Amino acid sequence: KRDEQYQLAGIVDVGEAYFGAPTRGKKRGRGTERTAVLVSLAVSDEGHPRFARLHPIADVKRKTIENVLEDQTDEASELQTDALSTYQGLAIRVHHWRKAYQADLSEAFRWLHTVISNAKSFLAGTYHGIGPKHLSAYLAEYCYRFNRRFWQDQLFNRLLYASAHGDPVTYTELI
């Protein structure tokens, strides 16, 4: 809930990832049955990652993505995406998209893909299974840690404050 109070600003790389248990013989990537997650990463002018937001979404449709980005990004932010047709028609913010066949596409979104990969490794290593019910909480934990990685000396105090001021979670909500 702490990260929901902040919006990403400046240059924001946007992409989608799919989280969930691997299924043998099933389609991978776009079109899979796994849960779609919109990944937004604010980067510095030099392209280094600053802050991340990972948000599960029901579908990868333009309106869904626009609604999430409206909440997550500052009005003056500049969005960068790949050339997925859903992104090409975004009607918010300054928006640049890169064609998928460009040679520098993987380099342009290197940090976005690194954040996605690290989030998947974190979830697999920590929870050993990802259910859709708690996926948003797992992703929020990853973002909380990622967004505060340079303030490790303040982490305990921030966690204590968040715990004291956060809403309690009942056992029924957990199961």
Side-chain angles (χ1 to χ4, degrees):
K1 295 203 183 276
R2 298 287 298 162
D3 280 348
E4 291 175 9
Q5 298 174 3
Y6 307 106
Q7 289 186 321
L8 300 176
I11 301 169
V12 180
D13 290 346
V14 178
E16 78 285 341
Y18 299 89
F19 286 76
T23 51
R24 274 185 132 28
K26 298 284 183 168
K27 184 172 174 146
R28 297 172 48 135
R30 294 175 179 146
T32 184
E33 293 177 7
R34 295 179 182 185
T35 303
V37 174
L38 186 67
V39 181
S40 306
L41 178 67
V43 296
S44 66
D45 291 336
E46 296 81 33
H48 299 286
R50 295 174 51 214
F51 301 102
R53 298 281 297 270
L54 282 78
H55 186 85
I57 52 178
D59 53 56
V60 188
K61 293 182 179 173
R62 184 173 298 125
K63 192 64 180 163
T64 304
I65 291 172
E66 283 178 352
N67 289 338
V68 172
L69 291 175
E70 284 279 337
D71 291 339
Q72 288 186 354
T73 58
D74 183 67
E75 290 180 16
S77 60
E78 180 179 320
L79 304 179
Q80 297 186 125
T81 66
D82 62 15
L84 179 66
S85 61
T86 300
Y87 297 134
Q88 291 180 27
L90 289 177
I92 60 168
R93 316 285 188 261
V94 175
H95 178 232
H96 303 285
W97 54 272
R98 299 173 189 257
K99 293 187 182 276
Y101 58 81
Q102 286 181 338
D104 70 334
L105 186 65
S106 61
E107 181 60 30
F109 295 110
R110 176 175 67 117
W111 287 113
L112 183 73
H113 296 150
T114 300
V115 166
I116 292 168
S117 176
N118 288 346
K120 288 182 177 186
S121 295
F122 168 76
L123 294 178
T126 305
Y127 298 106
H128 309 289
I130 305 166
K133 179 177 181 179
H134 298 295
L135 180 60
S136 62
Y138 297 156
L139 295 174
E141 179 185 354
Y142 173 79
C143 288
Y144 185 87
R145 292 173 183 234
F146 179 85
N147 293 339
R148 289 155 182 81
R149 68 194 180 282
F150 296 122
W151 304 311
Q152 291 183 0
D153 58 328
Q154 300 174 19
L155 193 58
F156 179 75
N157 293 337
R158 288 175 176 265
L159 182 60
L160 186 61
Y161 179 85
S163 298
H165 291 86
D167 297 331
V169 178
T170 65
Y171 179 74
T172 311
E173 292 172 330
L174 285 176
I175 56 170

PDB file of all heavy atoms in Angstrom, residues 98-129:
ATOM      1  N   ARG A  98       8.856   1.440 -29.699  1.00  0.00           N
ATOM      2  CA  ARG A  98       9.937   0.952 -30.544  1.00  0.00           C
ATOM      3  C   ARG A  98       9.460  -0.288 -31.278  1.00  0.00           C
ATOM      4  O   ARG A  98       8.837  -1.151 -30.684  1.00  0.00           O
ATOM      5  CB  ARG A  98      11.161   0.609 -29.697  1.00  0.00           C
ATOM      6  CG  ARG A  98      11.696   1.796 -28.949  1.00  0.00           C
ATOM      7  CD  ARG A  98      12.782   1.330 -28.003  1.00  0.00           C
ATOM      8  NE  ARG A  98      13.174   2.393 -27.115  1.00  0.00           N
ATOM      9  CZ  ARG A  98      14.278   3.097 -27.244  1.00  0.00           C
ATOM     10  NH1 ARG A  98      15.097   2.861 -28.228  1.00  0.00           N
ATOM     11  NH2 ARG A  98      14.577   4.041 -26.388  1.00  0.00           N
ATOM     12  N   LYS A  99       9.761  -0.372 -32.541  1.00  0.00           N
ATOM     13  CA  LYS A  99       9.351  -1.530 -33.327  1.00  0.00           C
ATOM     14  C   LYS A  99      10.105  -2.769 -32.843  1.00  0.00           C
ATOM     15  O   LYS A  99      11.274  -2.703 -32.523  1.00  0.00           O
ATOM     16  CB  LYS A  99       9.606  -1.294 -34.805  1.00  0.00           C
ATOM     17  CG  LYS A  99       8.717  -0.209 -35.386  1.00  0.00           C
ATOM     18  CD  LYS A  99       8.885  -0.146 -36.878  1.00  0.00           C
ATOM     19  CE  LYS A  99       8.045   0.971 -37.442  1.00  0.00           C
ATOM     20  NZ  LYS A  99       6.691   0.615 -37.685  1.00  0.00           N
ATOM     21  N   ALA A 100       9.403  -3.882 -32.824  1.00  0.00           N
ATOM     22  CA  ALA A 100       9.967  -5.111 -32.281  1.00  0.00           C
ATOM     23  C   ALA A 100      11.169  -5.613 -33.074  1.00  0.00           C
ATOM     24  O   ALA A 100      11.995  -6.331 -32.553  1.00  0.00           O
ATOM     25  CB  ALA A 100       8.889  -6.194 -32.242  1.00  0.00           C
ATOM     26  N   TYR A 101      11.291  -5.209 -34.336  1.00  0.00           N
ATOM     27  CA  TYR A 101      12.395  -5.716 -35.138  1.00  0.00           C
ATOM     28  C   TYR A 101      13.651  -4.866 -35.013  1.00  0.00           C
ATOM     29  O   TYR A 101      14.673  -5.173 -35.599  1.00  0.00           O
ATOM     30  CB  TYR A 101      11.997  -5.831 -36.615  1.00  0.00           C
ATOM     31  CG  TYR A 101      11.534  -4.550 -37.253  1.00  0.00           C
ATOM     32  CD1 TYR A 101      12.438  -3.614 -37.714  1.00  0.00           C
ATOM     33  CD2 TYR A 101      10.175  -4.297 -37.383  1.00  0.00           C
ATOM     34  CE1 TYR A 101      12.012  -2.435 -38.298  1.00  0.00           C
ATOM     35  CE2 TYR A 101       9.738  -3.125 -37.959  1.00  0.00           C
ATOM     36  CZ  TYR A 101      10.655  -2.201 -38.421  1.00  0.00           C
ATOM     37  OH  TYR A 101      10.228  -1.037 -38.997  1.00  0.00           O
ATOM     38  N   GLN A 102      13.593  -3.773 -34.256  1.00  0.00           N
ATOM     39  CA  GLN A 102      14.783  -2.949 -34.094  1.00  0.00           C
ATOM     40  C   GLN A 102      15.863  -3.726 -33.350  1.00  0.00           C
ATOM     41  O   GLN A 102      15.591  -4.423 -32.379  1.00  0.00           O
ATOM     42  CB  GLN A 102      14.470  -1.666 -33.340  1.00  0.00           C
ATOM     43  CG  GLN A 102      13.710  -0.656 -34.162  1.00  0.00           C
ATOM     44  CD  GLN A 102      13.452   0.617 -33.379  1.00  0.00           C
ATOM     45  OE1 GLN A 102      13.463   0.612 -32.169  1.00  0.00           O
ATOM     46  NE2 GLN A 102      13.203   1.694 -34.101  1.00  0.00           N
ATOM     47  N   ALA A 103      17.078  -3.584 -33.791  1.00  0.00           N
ATOM     48  CA  ALA A 103      18.190  -4.323 -33.200  1.00  0.00           C
ATOM     49  C   ALA A 103      18.430  -3.935 -31.752  1.00  0.00           C
ATOM     50  O   ALA A 103      18.870  -4.755 -30.953  1.00  0.00           O
ATOM     51  CB  ALA A 103      19.452  -4.091 -34.026  1.00  0.00           C
ATOM     52  N   ASP A 104      18.129  -2.704 -31.394  1.00  0.00           N
ATOM     53  CA  ASP A 104      18.427  -2.259 -30.033  1.00  0.00           C
ATOM     54  C   ASP A 104      17.260  -2.470 -29.065  1.00  0.00           C
ATOM     55  O   ASP A 104      17.297  -1.976 -27.949  1.00  0.00           O
ATOM     56  CB  ASP A 104      18.821  -0.783 -30.048  1.00  0.00           C
ATOM     57  CG  ASP A 104      17.655   0.141 -30.370  1.00  0.00           C
ATOM     58  OD1 ASP A 104      16.710  -0.297 -31.034  1.00  0.00           O
ATOM     59  OD2 ASP A 104      17.713   1.305 -29.958  1.00  0.00           O
ATOM     60  N   LEU A 105      16.235  -3.208 -29.471  1.00  0.00           N
ATOM     61  CA  LEU A 105      15.066  -3.389 -28.613  1.00  0.00           C
ATOM     62  C   LEU A 105      15.426  -4.048 -27.294  1.00  0.00           C
ATOM     63  O   LEU A 105      15.029  -3.588 -26.234  1.00  0.00           O
ATOM     64  CB  LEU A 105      13.988  -4.206 -29.329  1.00  0.00           C
ATOM     65  CG  LEU A 105      12.671  -4.338 -28.582  1.00  0.00           C
ATOM     66  CD1 LEU A 105      12.012  -2.971 -28.446  1.00  0.00           C
ATOM     67  CD2 LEU A 105      11.747  -5.288 -29.290  1.00  0.00           C
ATOM     68  N   SER A 106      16.217  -5.122 -27.332  1.00  0.00           N
ATOM     69  CA  SER A 106      16.564  -5.804 -26.085  1.00  0.00           C
ATOM     70  C   SER A 106      17.443  -4.924 -25.215  1.00  0.00           C
ATOM     71  O   SER A 106      17.336  -4.946 -23.998  1.00  0.00           O
ATOM     72  CB  SER A 106      17.244  -7.139 -26.366  1.00  0.00           C
ATOM     73  OG  SER A 106      18.437  -6.938 -27.081  1.00  0.00           O
ATOM     74  N   GLU A 107      18.290  -4.120 -25.821  1.00  0.00           N
ATOM     75  CA  GLU A 107      19.125  -3.197 -25.038  1.00  0.00           C
ATOM     76  C   GLU A 107      18.291  -2.059 -24.476  1.00  0.00           C
ATOM     77  O   GLU A 107      18.482  -1.638 -23.333  1.00  0.00           O
ATOM     78  CB  GLU A 107      20.263  -2.649 -25.901  1.00  0.00           C
ATOM     79  CG  GLU A 107      21.180  -1.712 -25.169  1.00  0.00           C
ATOM     80  CD  GLU A 107      21.881  -2.333 -23.965  1.00  0.00           C
ATOM     81  OE1 GLU A 107      22.133  -3.550 -23.962  1.00  0.00           O
ATOM     82  OE2 GLU A 107      22.172  -1.586 -23.007  1.00  0.00           O
ATOM     83  N   ALA A 108      17.331  -1.570 -25.235  1.00  0.00           N
ATOM     84  CA  ALA A 108      16.493  -0.455 -24.789  1.00  0.00           C
ATOM     85  C   ALA A 108      15.663  -0.839 -23.566  1.00  0.00           C
ATOM     86  O   ALA A 108      15.437  -0.029 -22.682  1.00  0.00           O
ATOM     87  CB  ALA A 108      15.579  -0.002 -25.918  1.00  0.00           C
ATOM     88  N   PHE A 109      15.213  -2.077 -23.513  1.00  0.00           N
ATOM     89  CA  PHE A 109      14.382  -2.533 -22.399  1.00  0.00           C
ATOM     90  C   PHE A 109      15.123  -3.526 -21.506  1.00  0.00           C
ATOM     91  O   PHE A 109      14.514  -4.337 -20.822  1.00  0.00           O
ATOM     92  CB  PHE A 109      13.081  -3.147 -22.932  1.00  0.00           C
ATOM     93  CG  PHE A 109      12.219  -2.135 -23.637  1.00  0.00           C
ATOM     94  CD1 PHE A 109      12.048  -2.184 -25.008  1.00  0.00           C
ATOM     95  CD2 PHE A 109      11.589  -1.128 -22.931  1.00  0.00           C
ATOM     96  CE1 PHE A 109      11.269  -1.246 -25.661  1.00  0.00           C
ATOM     97  CE2 PHE A 109      10.800  -0.187 -23.578  1.00  0.00           C
ATOM     98  CZ  PHE A 109      10.642  -0.244 -24.943  1.00  0.00           C
ATOM     99  N   ARG A 110      16.442  -3.426 -21.507  1.00  0.00           N
ATOM    100  CA  ARG A 110      17.276  -4.347 -20.719  1.00  0.00           C
ATOM    101  C   ARG A 110      16.899  -4.326 -19.244  1.00  0.00           C
ATOM    102  O   ARG A 110      16.716  -5.374 -18.628  1.00  0.00           O
ATOM    103  CB  ARG A 110      18.746  -3.990 -20.900  1.00  0.00           C
ATOM    104  CG  ARG A 110      19.687  -4.815 -20.066  1.00  0.00           C
ATOM    105  CD  ARG A 110      21.123  -4.477 -20.400  1.00  0.00           C
ATOM    106  NE  ARG A 110      21.452  -3.126 -19.998  1.00  0.00           N
ATOM    107  CZ  ARG A 110      22.356  -2.830 -19.089  1.00  0.00           C
ATOM    108  NH1 ARG A 110      23.042  -3.793 -18.503  1.00  0.00           N
ATOM    109  NH2 ARG A 110      22.616  -1.583 -18.772  1.00  0.00           N
ATOM    110  N   TRP A 111      16.756  -3.138 -18.668  1.00  0.00           N
ATOM    111  CA  TRP A 111      16.446  -3.048 -17.241  1.00  0.00           C
ATOM    112  C   TRP A 111      15.027  -3.509 -16.949  1.00  0.00           C
ATOM    113  O   TRP A 111      14.773  -4.122 -15.910  1.00  0.00           O
ATOM    114  CB  TRP A 111      16.689  -1.642 -16.721  1.00  0.00           C
ATOM    115  CG  TRP A 111      18.141  -1.326 -16.614  1.00  0.00           C
ATOM    116  CD1 TRP A 111      18.845  -0.417 -17.340  1.00  0.00           C
ATOM    117  CD2 TRP A 111      19.088  -1.960 -15.750  1.00  0.00           C
ATOM    118  NE1 TRP A 111      20.167  -0.440 -16.969  1.00  0.00           N
ATOM    119  CE2 TRP A 111      20.350  -1.379 -15.992  1.00  0.00           C
ATOM    120  CE3 TRP A 111      19.005  -2.966 -14.799  1.00  0.00           C
ATOM    121  CZ2 TRP A 111      21.504  -1.755 -15.316  1.00  0.00           C
ATOM    122  CZ3 TRP A 111      20.156  -3.344 -14.121  1.00  0.00           C
ATOM    123  CH2 TRP A 111      21.379  -2.737 -14.376  1.00  0.00           C
ATOM    124  N   LEU A 112      14.104  -3.249 -17.853  1.00  0.00           N
ATOM    125  CA  LEU A 112      12.731  -3.720 -17.661  1.00  0.00           C
ATOM    126  C   LEU A 112      12.712  -5.245 -17.615  1.00  0.00           C
ATOM    127  O   LEU A 112      12.100  -5.845 -16.732  1.00  0.00           O
ATOM    128  CB  LEU A 112      11.834  -3.201 -18.789  1.00  0.00           C
ATOM    129  CG  LEU A 112      10.356  -3.557 -18.689  1.00  0.00           C
ATOM    130  CD1 LEU A 112       9.689  -2.743 -17.589  1.00  0.00           C
ATOM    131  CD2 LEU A 112       9.661  -3.301 -20.007  1.00  0.00           C
ATOM    132  N   HIS A 113      13.416  -5.874 -18.542  1.00  0.00           N
ATOM    133  CA  HIS A 113      13.472  -7.336 -18.578  1.00  0.00           C
ATOM    134  C   HIS A 113      14.235  -7.892 -17.373  1.00  0.00           C
ATOM    135  O   HIS A 113      13.892  -8.970 -16.869  1.00  0.00           O
ATOM    136  CB  HIS A 113      14.108  -7.810 -19.889  1.00  0.00           C
ATOM    137  CG  HIS A 113      13.291  -7.444 -21.082  1.00  0.00           C
ATOM    138  ND1 HIS A 113      13.832  -7.197 -22.311  1.00  0.00           N
ATOM    139  CD2 HIS A 113      11.961  -7.261 -21.235  1.00  0.00           C
ATOM    140  CE1 HIS A 113      12.886  -6.889 -23.172  1.00  0.00           C
ATOM    141  NE2 HIS A 113      11.733  -6.917 -22.541  1.00  0.00           N
ATOM    142  N   THR A 114      15.234  -7.164 -16.894  1.00  0.00           N
ATOM    143  CA  THR A 114      15.968  -7.592 -15.703  1.00  0.00           C
ATOM    144  C   THR A 114      15.065  -7.560 -14.478  1.00  0.00           C
ATOM    145  O   THR A 114      15.077  -8.487 -13.662  1.00  0.00           O
ATOM    146  CB  THR A 114      17.206  -6.695 -15.487  1.00  0.00           C
ATOM    147  OG1 THR A 114      18.056  -6.809 -16.631  1.00  0.00           O
ATOM    148  CG2 THR A 114      17.966  -7.095 -14.238  1.00  0.00           C
ATOM    149  N   VAL A 115      14.257  -6.503 -14.340  1.00  0.00           N
ATOM    150  CA  VAL A 115      13.324  -6.404 -13.214  1.00  0.00           C
ATOM    151  C   VAL A 115      12.310  -7.545 -13.261  1.00  0.00           C
ATOM    152  O   VAL A 115      12.015  -8.169 -12.235  1.00  0.00           O
ATOM    153  CB  VAL A 115      12.622  -5.029 -13.197  1.00  0.00           C
ATOM    154  CG1 VAL A 115      11.414  -5.013 -12.268  1.00  0.00           C
ATOM    155  CG2 VAL A 115      13.607  -3.942 -12.810  1.00  0.00           C
ATOM    156  N   ILE A 116      11.796  -7.841 -14.436  1.00  0.00           N
ATOM    157  CA  ILE A 116      10.837  -8.946 -14.580  1.00  0.00           C
ATOM    158  C   ILE A 116      11.490 -10.267 -14.182  1.00  0.00           C
ATOM    159  O   ILE A 116      10.925 -11.051 -13.417  1.00  0.00           O
ATOM    160  CB  ILE A 116      10.292  -9.013 -16.021  1.00  0.00           C
ATOM    161  CG1 ILE A 116       9.413  -7.798 -16.320  1.00  0.00           C
ATOM    162  CG2 ILE A 116       9.520 -10.307 -16.255  1.00  0.00           C
ATOM    163  CD1 ILE A 116       9.059  -7.620 -17.786  1.00  0.00           C
ATOM    164  N   SER A 117      12.684 -10.510 -14.696  1.00  0.00           N
ATOM    165  CA  SER A 117      13.399 -11.747 -14.382  1.00  0.00           C
ATOM    166  C   SER A 117      13.693 -11.860 -12.889  1.00  0.00           C
ATOM    167  O   SER A 117      13.512 -12.923 -12.286  1.00  0.00           O
ATOM    168  CB  SER A 117      14.704 -11.800 -15.184  1.00  0.00           C
ATOM    169  OG  SER A 117      15.446 -12.931 -14.847  1.00  0.00           O
ATOM    170  N   ASN A 118      14.138 -10.767 -12.277  1.00  0.00           N
ATOM    171  CA  ASN A 118      14.434 -10.784 -10.843  1.00  0.00           C
ATOM    172  C   ASN A 118      13.169 -10.993 -10.012  1.00  0.00           C
ATOM    173  O   ASN A 118      13.200 -11.674  -8.988  1.00  0.00           O
ATOM    174  CB  ASN A 118      15.136  -9.494 -10.425  1.00  0.00           C
ATOM    175  CG  ASN A 118      16.565  -9.426 -10.914  1.00  0.00           C
ATOM    176  OD1 ASN A 118      17.140 -10.427 -11.340  1.00  0.00           O
ATOM    177  ND2 ASN A 118      17.143  -8.243 -10.869  1.00  0.00           N
ATOM    178  N   ALA A 119      12.056 -10.414 -10.440  1.00  0.00           N
ATOM    179  CA  ALA A 119      10.792 -10.607  -9.723  1.00  0.00           C
ATOM    180  C   ALA A 119      10.368 -12.076  -9.782  1.00  0.00           C
ATOM    181  O   ALA A 119       9.952 -12.652  -8.768  1.00  0.00           O
ATOM    182  CB  ALA A 119       9.703  -9.715 -10.307  1.00  0.00           C
ATOM    183  N   LYS A 120      10.499 -12.687 -10.945  1.00  0.00           N
ATOM    184  CA  LYS A 120      10.141 -14.105 -11.070  1.00  0.00           C
ATOM    185  C   LYS A 120      11.055 -14.979 -10.210  1.00  0.00           C
ATOM    186  O   LYS A 120      10.590 -15.911  -9.547  1.00  0.00           O
ATOM    187  CB  LYS A 120      10.202 -14.541 -12.532  1.00  0.00           C
ATOM    188  CG  LYS A 120       9.061 -13.974 -13.353  1.00  0.00           C
ATOM    189  CD  LYS A 120       9.110 -14.447 -14.781  1.00  0.00           C
ATOM    190  CE  LYS A 120       7.918 -13.923 -15.570  1.00  0.00           C
ATOM    191  NZ  LYS A 120       7.847 -14.473 -16.911  1.00  0.00           N
ATOM    192  N   SER A 121      12.340 -14.678 -10.191  1.00  0.00           N
ATOM    193  CA  SER A 121      13.284 -15.437  -9.361  1.00  0.00           C
ATOM    194  C   SER A 121      12.985 -15.246  -7.883  1.00  0.00           C
ATOM    195  O   SER A 121      13.033 -16.194  -7.101  1.00  0.00           O
ATOM    196  CB  SER A 121      14.716 -15.005  -9.655  1.00  0.00           C
ATOM    197  OG  SER A 121      15.075 -15.332 -10.962  1.00  0.00           O
ATOM    198  N   PHE A 122      12.680 -14.016  -7.498  1.00  0.00           N
ATOM    199  CA  PHE A 122      12.333 -13.716  -6.105  1.00  0.00           C
ATOM    200  C   PHE A 122      11.107 -14.522  -5.676  1.00  0.00           C
ATOM    201  O   PHE A 122      11.105 -15.145  -4.620  1.00  0.00           O
ATOM    202  CB  PHE A 122      12.064 -12.221  -5.946  1.00  0.00           C
ATOM    203  CG  PHE A 122      11.427 -11.839  -4.640  1.00  0.00           C
ATOM    204  CD1 PHE A 122      12.163 -11.796  -3.471  1.00  0.00           C
ATOM    205  CD2 PHE A 122      10.083 -11.517  -4.581  1.00  0.00           C
ATOM    206  CE1 PHE A 122      11.575 -11.442  -2.262  1.00  0.00           C
ATOM    207  CE2 PHE A 122       9.482 -11.161  -3.384  1.00  0.00           C
ATOM    208  CZ  PHE A 122      10.232 -11.125  -2.226  1.00  0.00           C
ATOM    209  N   LEU A 123      10.071 -14.517  -6.497  1.00  0.00           N
ATOM    210  CA  LEU A 123       8.843 -15.229  -6.150  1.00  0.00           C
ATOM    211  C   LEU A 123       9.057 -16.737  -6.097  1.00  0.00           C
ATOM    212  O   LEU A 123       8.578 -17.414  -5.195  1.00  0.00           O
ATOM    213  CB  LEU A 123       7.735 -14.881  -7.138  1.00  0.00           C
ATOM    214  CG  LEU A 123       7.257 -13.433  -7.115  1.00  0.00           C
ATOM    215  CD1 LEU A 123       6.201 -13.207  -8.174  1.00  0.00           C
ATOM    216  CD2 LEU A 123       6.745 -13.036  -5.756  1.00  0.00           C
ATOM    217  N   ALA A 124       9.792 -17.261  -7.070  1.00  0.00           N
ATOM    218  CA  ALA A 124      10.033 -18.706  -7.099  1.00  0.00           C
ATOM    219  C   ALA A 124      10.908 -19.138  -5.929  1.00  0.00           C
ATOM    220  O   ALA A 124      10.679 -20.186  -5.317  1.00  0.00           O
ATOM    221  CB  ALA A 124      10.692 -19.097  -8.417  1.00  0.00           C
ATOM    222  N   GLY A 125      11.897 -18.340  -5.585  1.00  0.00           N
ATOM    223  CA  GLY A 125      12.798 -18.689  -4.500  1.00  0.00           C
ATOM    224  C   GLY A 125      12.209 -18.479  -3.124  1.00  0.00           C
ATOM    225  O   GLY A 125      12.528 -19.201  -2.180  1.00  0.00           O
ATOM    226  N   THR A 126      11.332 -17.503  -2.984  1.00  0.00           N
ATOM    227  CA  THR A 126      10.765 -17.183  -1.676  1.00  0.00           C
ATOM    228  C   THR A 126       9.491 -17.965  -1.389  1.00  0.00           C
ATOM    229  O   THR A 126       9.311 -18.507  -0.310  1.00  0.00           O
ATOM    230  CB  THR A 126      10.460 -15.667  -1.576  1.00  0.00           C
ATOM    231  OG1 THR A 126      11.659 -14.944  -1.872  1.00  0.00           O
ATOM    232  CG2 THR A 126       9.968 -15.293  -0.200  1.00  0.00           C
ATOM    233  N   TYR A 127       8.601 -18.043  -2.359  1.00  0.00           N
ATOM    234  CA  TYR A 127       7.286 -18.628  -2.116  1.00  0.00           C
ATOM    235  C   TYR A 127       7.089 -19.992  -2.760  1.00  0.00           C
ATOM    236  O   TYR A 127       6.137 -20.680  -2.445  1.00  0.00           O
ATOM    237  CB  TYR A 127       6.190 -17.658  -2.589  1.00  0.00           C
ATOM    238  CG  TYR A 127       6.238 -16.364  -1.825  1.00  0.00           C
ATOM    239  CD1 TYR A 127       6.731 -15.218  -2.409  1.00  0.00           C
ATOM    240  CD2 TYR A 127       5.839 -16.308  -0.503  1.00  0.00           C
ATOM    241  CE1 TYR A 127       6.798 -14.027  -1.703  1.00  0.00           C
ATOM    242  CE2 TYR A 127       5.904 -15.134   0.213  1.00  0.00           C
ATOM    243  CZ  TYR A 127       6.393 -14.002  -0.390  1.00  0.00           C
ATOM    244  OH  TYR A 127       6.456 -12.834   0.312  1.00  0.00           O
ATOM    245  N   HIS A 128       7.933 -20.386  -3.676  1.00  0.00           N
ATOM    246  CA  HIS A 128       7.894 -21.708  -4.315  1.00  0.00           C
ATOM    247  C   HIS A 128       6.570 -22.018  -5.004  1.00  0.00           C
ATOM    248  O   HIS A 128       6.280 -23.157  -5.304  1.00  0.00           O
ATOM    249  CB  HIS A 128       8.210 -22.819  -3.305  1.00  0.00           C
ATOM    250  CG  HIS A 128       9.455 -22.567  -2.542  1.00  0.00           C
ATOM    251  ND1 HIS A 128      10.695 -22.641  -3.113  1.00  0.00           N
ATOM    252  CD2 HIS A 128       9.659 -22.212  -1.254  1.00  0.00           C
ATOM    253  CE1 HIS A 128      11.616 -22.361  -2.211  1.00  0.00           C
ATOM    254  NE2 HIS A 128      11.020 -22.087  -1.072  1.00  0.00           N
ATOM    255  N   GLY A 129       5.765 -21.042  -5.233  1.00  0.00           N
ATOM    256  CA  GLY A 129       4.493 -21.224  -5.926  1.00  0.00           C
ATOM    257  C   GLY A 129       3.733 -19.915  -5.907  1.00  0.00           C
ATOM    258  O   GLY A 129       3.796 -19.171  -4.932  1.00  0.00           O
TER     259      GLY A 129
END
